[in-house]
Amino acid sequence: MSISRLARSIATSPTLALNEEARKMRERGEPVVNMGIGEPKNKTPITAVLSTAALLNTGDIKYTPPDGTPSLKKAIIRYTEENYNRVIAPENVIVSSGAKQSIFNILYSILNPQDEVIILAPHWVSYPEMVKMCFGVPVVITPEDGSFIPRLQEIEQAVSSFTKAIIVNSPNNPSGAIFPPDLIQEIVEFCESRKIYYIADDIYHKLVFDGKRAVPAYQFTEKDIENTMVIAVNGVAKLYGMTGLRIGWVTANKKLVEVMTNVQSQMTSCTSSILQAAAEGALTGMQNVVENLRLTIENNRNVVMQELGSFSGIKTTRPEGTFYVLPDFRAYSNKSVELATFLLHKALVVTVPGKEFGMEGYLRLSYAGSVKDITTGIERIKWGLDPNSPNEIYIGDRKMIRDWL
Ligand code: PMP
């Protein structure tokens, strides 16, 4: 069987792979706690369910325009005005099957072979792979001071004549950090002056805590949407907990949206009309669902911090947004893949190895689940790693034996 070198070089999504392994273990009756995947527990907002059902009831489910239905685009234009204080036209918006496809489509539409994209570690696992799939070169920058916030100087040093874009994800998956407004401003100004695209992955922008705000990049450019280098990506997966209703979108200049539309029309024709109806229902419905979700997640963040506080050896930076925390487990192991595998099989907890995010020795824990998931999950991790804990415990009727990696 002949498979392309490029396709072969693309890594499996570790989050999905571990989740799949956990699912199989659960099917075998093992009581696994999932702190791996970033998926809120809430039900789909009722307005999204109703608008989906209304379309299904008509039985008239057809192709839509490749860049999205006019009515969903209208809702996105309103969202952009309300959240970004930007007035944009329908030609500045393209809807895709999740923010993941949105980002892929941007990269595919802006990169020439060998063009470089700057990625800030800790980073979402998919960015480097997507850049490679578009024949580009990912350039990963890891903050030298060991923090989760880069410095402009580090970015400047990584820029070359091949640099086409930088991806900024704040609040950040996996660290939960919000980049300070001054830094966002510096990066936006740098990108505008050097004609480098600033891709703002804003998928978590409303999941922020302690009264903090993730200041949008758009705020720091005087240029209108046709001339700015800022491109914003958003979606319904995280804000409304609609991970299965795959809708994301991009706001960008008309030329880029036109090219992205051609690409998408050759790839998927359009995004499912049913899912677009669901997203429209969420965007035009009661917005207190977002605030309720945010409050639940903020409470979960407090629980996670309390539980991790009594965990000797690990170092934790308090997340300011998202539903992830990225503790430093190097006191226990420098090999995060081994550590995550050990915790899955020995302590029945799914975590994601930091290596995948450019942070070896760290583990990403998701607190999108229930409070019980969080407390049980962390209790089990402590049991698995603490040399002073009992060698045997029972989880349900399953006897667990602790033997180190
Ligand atoms: N960006 C980041 C940083 C994410 O964490 C995710 C989802 N895990 C996405 C984009 C993709 O979102 P969607 O589910 O809408 O494709």
Side-chain angles (χ1 to χ4, degrees), residues 59-363:
D60 195 21
I61 299 148
K62 305 291 183 199
Y63 290 129
T64 77
D67 50 339
T69 60
S71 54
L72 174 56
K73 287 177 80 160
K74 208 163 144 195
I76 292 170
I77 290 169
R78 202 170 324 117
Y79 186 91
T80 309
E81 261 176 62
E82 279 168 13
N83 291 283
Y84 296 98
N85 204 16
R86 283 267 156 171
V87 179
I88 59 169
E91 297 81 9
N92 296 119
V93 180
I94 171 166
V95 176
S96 298
S97 304
K100 204 173 222 176
Q101 191 189 12
S102 300
I103 297 167
F104 182 86
N105 197 345
I106 295 171
L107 295 171
Y108 190 87
S109 303
I110 63 174
L111 295 181
N112 286 313
Q114 299 308 311
D115 276 349
E116 294 174 1
V117 177
I118 293 186
I119 294 168
L120 308 170
H123 57 79
W124 184 39
V125 290
S126 297
Y127 297 144
E129 303 311 302
M130 289 203 267
V131 170
K132 285 194 267 169
M133 285 162 81
C134 297
F135 301 95
V137 179
V139 177
V140 176
I141 300 177
T142 309
E144 273 167 21
D145 61 4
S147 75
F148 295 148
I149 309 280
R151 284 180 302 128
L152 179 66
Q153 208 188 355
E154 291 166 330
I155 296 171
E156 283 172 346
Q157 280 164 3
V159 165
S160 77
S161 56
F162 288 100
T163 308
K164 211 35 168 311
I166 175 166
I167 308 179
V168 180
N169 174 222
S170 166
N172 178 269
N173 173 9
S175 71
I178 296 179
F179 288 11
D182 291 0
L183 176 65
I184 302 274
Q185 178 167 11
E186 282 174 354
I187 307 176
V188 170
E189 286 171 359
F190 178 70
C191 287
E192 296 282 30
S193 72
R194 298 288 291 268
K195 294 277 172 234
I196 294 169
Y197 281 113
Y198 179 116
I199 303 171
D201 181 348
D202 281 356
I203 189 93
Y204 297 98
H205 78 117
K206 287 193 185 180
L207 287 178
V208 289
F209 316 135
D210 310 321
K212 284 226 159 87
R213 218 180 132 231
V215 180
Y218 275 138
Q219 184 171 315
F220 297 113
T221 177
E222 304 274 285
K223 297 190 171 154
D224 63 24
I225 187 126
E226 294 311 321
N227 294 299
T228 177
M229 298 306 288
V230 176
I231 304 171
V233 179
N234 231 310
V236 294
K238 312 292 174 173
L239 301 185
Y240 296 91
M242 287 167 56
T243 47
L245 292 150
R246 311 285 310 125
I247 294 290
W249 62 86
V250 174
T251 54
N253 65 68
K254 289 179 185 165
K255 183 70 207 161
L256 179 56
V257 169
E258 189 186 319
V259 172
M260 287 175 65
T261 304
N262 291 340
V263 169
Q264 187 157 283
S265 70
Q266 299 298 354
M267 196 176 271
T268 54
S269 295
C270 64
T271 304
S272 156
S273 59
I274 300 166
L275 306 184
Q276 293 191 64
E280 190 182 331
L283 288 176
T284 55
M286 300 274 285
Q287 295 306 299
N288 61 350
V289 291
V290 180
E291 180 58 8
N292 290 345
L293 180 60
R294 192 196 69 74
L295 284 169
T296 307
I297 301 285
E298 180 163 5
N299 182 54
N300 287 5
R301 188 281 314 259
N302 295 342
V303 174
V304 110
M305 287 309 294
Q306 197 177 326
E307 296 296 314
L308 290 174
S310 60
F311 198 153
S312 56
I314 65 160
K315 285 195 220 112
T316 310
T317 305
R318 189 179 176 82
E320 300 172 313
T322 73
F323 25 66
Y324 308 109
V325 61
L326 189 68
D328 178 350
F329 279 84
R330 282 177 294 181
Y332 293 96
S333 170
N334 274 331
K335 295 184 177 155
S336 57
V337 177
E338 259 181 42
L339 190 61
T341 311
F342 166 81
L343 289 173
L344 176 59
H345 292 289
K346 289 290 167 186
L348 303 186
V349 188
V350 186
T351 58
V352 185
K355 189 174 179 212
E356 319 294 345
F357 307 102
M359 299 298 283
E360 183 53 302
Y362 291 64
L363 291 180

